[in-house]
Amino acid sequence: MRRVDHLGDARAALERITSLRSRVAEMESTRVDTEGLPTAEALAPLLPGGAIRVGGSYAVQESVLLAMTMLQAASAAGAWCAVVGVPSFGVEAAAAAGIDLERLVLVPDPGDQWLTVTAALADVAQIVLTRPLGRVVPGDVSRLSARLRQRGGALVALGSWPGADVTLRVTRSEWSGIGDGHGFLTERRVTVSAAGRAGAARPVDAELLLPAADGTVRAAVPAA
């Protein structure tokens, strides 16, 4: 009869238990965190839960200033932010918007390595603003989302982004300040529309001053 190796069985069971504990600890460390990041008050009505979420991805169509506003509150609260592939991102405008330039990383021209640079900066910056410069496959999106959840950050894409939690776009724009052929532009009143993932949620609209006469971005007083 075959001799039963009780000691070997016990060792094998212990190894399996240790492995399972390690996997559970890893899963707990990478769990989805639903905390909200510091978010500009003007954007709160447009975002689920009223805030940018840890691990979330957001698409902003065309408007650099609107994308900049997504970074403003987190930066003012002391977070590091990064901007990849957006050469039109002006540092003077960023400073006027309340972004801390000492905690801002700019990579204006990452070339065809834009996604690699974006993923690397997700390790150190709480919010990364990137302009997609090529095709993004689902696998890349999943890996980047996992990294953002681990690091407690979020992604803002200037343009389209697969599976974005929310897509923001300016649907109406009107400048004021010009009189009868003279004067200066003072502020811009816009309507911003927010649509959920794949259009699943009903679009939400909000009127903003983008920017107001003092250079800030805030909710507009309803027109009479």
Side-chain angles (χ1 to χ4, degrees), residues 2-44:
R2 184 175 64 85
R3 182 180 178 181
V4 179
D5 186 1
H6 295 290
L7 182 59
D9 291 343
R11 286 175 175 170
L14 180 59
E15 289 178 357
R16 287 196 296 271
I17 292 172
T18 302
S19 176
L20 286 171
R21 284 178 176 172
S22 177
R23 291 180 61 187
V24 169
E26 183 180 356
M27 291 171 66
E28 288 178 342
S29 67
T30 59
R31 68 188 184 279
V32 176
D33 194 336
T34 58
E35 283 188 22
L37 299 176
T39 305
E41 185 178 346
L43 299 179

Side-chain angles (χ1 to χ4, degrees), residues 144-210:
L144 185 54
S145 296
R147 181 171 293 188
L148 291 167
R149 287 194 297 270
Q150 279 186 306
R151 302 299 184 182
L155 177 80
V156 178
L158 187 59
S160 300
W161 186 260
D165 295 301
V166 178
T167 297
L168 303 177
R169 55 170 48 87
V170 175
T171 57
R172 177 180 169 275
S173 174
E174 181 181 357
W175 282 94
S176 61
I178 295 293
D180 296 329
H182 60 84
F184 298 93
L185 295 174
T186 56
E187 64 183 22
R188 181 188 182 210
R189 188 187 190 98
V190 303
T191 299
V192 178
S193 178
R197 183 178 298 179
R202 183 178 179 180
V204 176
D205 293 340
E207 288 197 349
L208 307 180
L209 297 180
L210 188 76

Side-chain angles (χ1 to χ4, degrees), residues 49-60:
I52 298 169
R53 294 291 176 179
V54 167
S57 59
Y58 302 85
V60 177

Side-chain angles (χ1 to χ4, degrees), residues 57-152:
S57 59
Y58 302 85
V60 177
Q61 300 293 328
E62 300 179 1
S63 176
V64 174
L65 182 55
L66 183 58
M68 188 182 294
T69 307
M70 297 283 284
L71 278 59
Q72 181 271 328
S75 178
W80 280 88
C81 297
V83 182
V84 181
V86 189
S88 58
F89 189 96
V91 291
E92 291 185 5
I99 292 176
D100 184 357
L101 300 184
E102 293 187 357
R103 292 179 177 269
L104 179 66
V105 180
L106 292 176
V107 186
D109 186 15
D112 58 4
Q113 298 299 312
W114 70 271
L115 188 57
T116 301
V117 174
T118 298
L121 288 174
D123 286 338
V124 296
Q126 192 162 35
I127 300 183
V128 180
L129 168 61
T130 188
R131 184 195 294 273
L133 299 175
R135 182 172 175 267
V136 185
V137 299
D140 293 331
V141 173
S142 298
R143 284 188 290 272
L144 185 54
S145 296
R147 181 171 293 188
L148 291 167
R149 287 194 297 270
Q150 279 186 306
R151 302 299 184 182

